[in-house]
Amino acid sequence: MADKYYVFVDSRCHICNGSGWVQVAPNCRGVKSCDYCHGTGLVGEYKEVSKIDYHGPCALAWRLRKTREARRVGMDALSKLFGMSVVRLSDIELGRGEEMTSSERNIIAYWIYGGKMKAMLSQPMAGKSDDEIVATRERAIKTLEGMGYEVVNTLFTDEWYAPENMKERGVENIPLCFLAKSLENMSKCHVAYFCRGWEQARGCRIEHEAAKAYGMKIMYEEEPETQTKSGFQIYIGVKRLIAEPQEKDGKPGYHVVYEDGYESWSPKDVFERAYFPITRPDKLVEEDIKHFIDAGSIAVNTFGAKTTVVGFTAPTGFIEMEASSCVDPANYDQELGGKICLDKITDRLWNHLGFVLQWADQGLKKRS
C-alpha cells in the first residue's frame, strides 16, 4: 500500500467568502468578525498530495498531531499558543523542513504532557503613571491568557519589596534587585512577552537579551491594528444630521435623523465623541467657533523675557500653536501676547471647521 502524504494549506473561508466579515444578523446593516475563520478569511485543512520532501516525523511530532486531534485544538490556535507560524507547525507535524529546535521541543512536550505553558511580561515603567502601567499589564495578560498561557508575576508590589524594607535587608541597588527577581521568574517561563516601548527601557532590554541568549520563545505586543481585513479599505467621512436628547431603557442618548430620513438612537457618549453641534446647516457663526474653543483647552506660557507661547488643544486632540513677541522686554505683557496668539489660532479654526462643514454639505466630488 502506497504511503499517503499530506500538507497543511489555507483555503478561503466558505462562511464569509474570504472577507473575514459576516452580517450581525440577516438583513442587518452591521457586520462582525467571522466566527468560523476568526476574521482571517482563511481556514486551514490537510490535503493529500502525491509526494513531499519528507523525513518522517519523530515520536514527539507524531504525538503532537495525535494530542492536537484528541483535544480538538486548531492549528491557528496552537500556532498562537506556541508563538510559531502555522506553516512551521505543519512542517513539524509532518516531518518536513528543519529539525525542531530545543526550544520548540520543550514547548511542545510541555503542552502534550498536560502542563500549562507560562509567560512573563516585560513592560517599561519609568515615566509611566500607575494607571498606565496597570492598563498595559491588563491588556497583555488578557492577550496571553486568551492564547492559553499562565502569566507569571513580574510586578512586585507586596511589603517585602517596599523600598524601606529592601534597605533594611541591605539592598543598595533597588532597580537591580527587581531585575534579578524578574530574571528568576523568567526561568520558570516558556515565553517572554515584551510590551510596546520595551526598547527604551534598560531593564526590558536586559531581559530581552537574556531571553534571546537562553533560547526562550519571544513574543511582542502588536502595534494597534492598522491593516484592514482582506478585501476592505479604510475610509473616513463627515456626516451632517439633526438630533435631540432621548433616553432609551433608562440610558441617556440621542434620537438621530440623517439627511436621507433614516432614524436611529445613539448612546450619549458614542454620539458626543463623533458629532459637534453648530447653529446653522449652511454656515458657521462666531458662536460655533467660541463653543469649539471652550470645548478644548488653552495653555499660555512665557518663553524667555518677551515671548508668549499659546497652545490650543482641540476636542479632537489636535494641537494648534502660536507665538507672539515684543521688541523691548520692558513692554512685555503676557495677557496681550496671549490674546494676539489666540486671535491667530481662532482665524485658523474658521478655516478648519469650514473645511469640515463644506465636506458635510457637499460630500466628495470625483474628479472627471
Side-chain angles (χ1 to χ4, degrees):
M1 182 176 176
D3 290 335
K4 290 185 178 181
Y5 301 98
Y6 297 88
V7 293
F8 186 86
V9 297
D10 281 328
S11 301
R12 183 190 292 264
C13 176
H14 65 279
I15 301 295
C16 65
N17 198 30
S19 71
W21 297 97
V22 294
Q23 285 183 297
V24 174
N27 302 317
C28 179
R29 295 169 64 181
V31 295
K32 65 175 184 176
S33 178
C34 176
D35 293 329
Y36 190 76
C37 66
H38 306 290
T40 64
L42 301 170
V43 290
E45 60 181 343
Y46 285 105
K47 288 191 175 181
E48 187 176 347
V49 295
S50 58
K51 187 176 180 181
I52 56 176
D53 180 16
Y54 184 76
H55 52 68
C58 66
L60 185 63
W62 178 85
R63 186 169 290 278
L64 169 64
R65 180 172 178 179
K66 292 299 181 183
T67 304
R68 188 175 65 78
E69 291 173 349
R71 295 180 187 174
R72 297 184 179 181
V73 178
M75 291 287 273
D76 183 62
L78 204 59
S79 73
K80 291 179 180 177
L81 181 63
F82 289 171
M84 62 180 75
S85 69
V86 170
V87 173
R88 177 57 181 155
L89 263 179
S90 177
D91 284 346
I92 289 173
E93 280 195 359
L94 296 171
R96 294 183 291 137
E98 298 178 359
E99 295 286 348
M100 278 186 284
T101 65
S102 59
S103 175
E104 288 171 338
R105 284 181 175 278
N106 290 340
I107 288 177
I108 290 170
Y110 197 82
W111 181 76
I112 288 173
Y113 296 109
K116 192 169 185 179
M117 289 189 295
K118 297 178 181 179
M120 68 154 284
L121 297 181
S122 181
Q123 67 177 117
M125 297 185 186
K128 307 280 186 182
S129 68
D130 289 345
D131 289 343
E132 288 174 319
I133 291 171
V134 170
T136 298
R137 189 167 191 81
E138 288 179 349
R139 185 172 64 243
I141 290 174
K142 182 178 179 181
T143 297
L144 289 166
E145 289 182 344
M147 295 166 66
Y149 286 104
E150 175 186 340
V151 179
V152 173
N153 180 47
T154 50
L155 183 62
F156 312 110
T157 56
D158 55 61
E159 290 187 4
W160 179 260
Y161 294 102
E164 58 274 14
N165 293 337
M166 294 176 77
K167 288 291 186 183
E168 285 183 12
R169 297 198 302 274
V171 175
E172 295 296 336
N173 192 318
I174 291 178
L176 188 59
C177 181
F178 279 122
L179 177 61
K181 182 62 180 177
S182 182
L183 290 172
E184 177 188 340
N185 281 7
M186 179 189 284
S187 70
K188 305 172 184 177
C189 299
H190 304 87
V191 170
Y193 182 91
F194 290 85
C195 299
R196 288 196 295 271
W198 69 267
E199 305 96 325
Q200 282 75 52
R202 177 181 55 190
C204 294
R205 291 198 301 270
I206 294 172
E207 289 169 348
H208 188 269
E209 286 300 313
K212 189 166 64 172
Y214 287 91
M216 284 187 70
K217 186 67 68 177
I218 297 175
M219 298 172 62
Y220 303 95
E221 182 181 11
E222 295 180 357
E223 293 296 323
E225 187 173 349
T226 58
Q227 301 300 314
T228 59
K229 299 293 183 183
S230 175
F232 281 73
Q233 171 66 50
I234 298 171
Y235 290 86
I236 61 172
V238 181
K239 297 177 183 177
R240 182 175 55 190
L241 46 78
I242 58 174
E244 62 178 349
Q246 183 186 79
E247 286 193 358
K248 185 176 183 180
D249 299 328
K251 298 179 180 179
Y254 287 85
H255 169 219
V256 182
V257 181
Y258 296 88
E259 290 189 331
D260 62 1
Y262 179 77
E263 298 187 33
S264 68
W265 184 86
S266 177
K268 184 176 186 293
D269 59 338
V270 174
F271 181 86
E272 292 180 352
R273 278 202 306 269
Y275 297 102
F276 183 80
I278 59 173
T279 307
R280 295 182 49 164
D282 58 341
K283 64 180 289 188
L284 295 169
V285 299
E286 191 171 342
E287 188 65 24
D288 297 329
I289 307 300
K290 183 179 183 302
H291 184 194
F292 190 80
I293 292 174
D294 290 343
S297 62
I298 299 171
V300 182
N301 291 287
T302 296
F303 182 76
K306 58 177 184 176
T307 300
T308 304
V309 178
V310 174
F312 168 68
T313 303
T316 61
F318 190 80
I319 298 175
E320 282 279 5
M321 300 291 295
E322 193 57 72
S324 173
S325 290
C326 62
V327 176
D328 187 348
N331 297 326
Y332 177 67
D333 184 334
Q334 188 191 66
E335 184 177 350
L336 177 60
K339 183 180 182 306
I340 293 171
C341 292
L342 189 56
D343 286 345
K344 292 179 181 179
I345 291 173
T346 301
D347 287 341
R348 293 204 291 273
L349 290 178
W350 278 97
N351 289 329
H352 296 337
L353 293 178
F355 175 86
V356 175
L357 181 57
Q358 177 79 28
W359 191 346
D361 183 64
Q362 299 293 325
L364 298 176
K365 298 181 179 179
K366 304 288 186 181
R367 186 168 62 180
S368 58

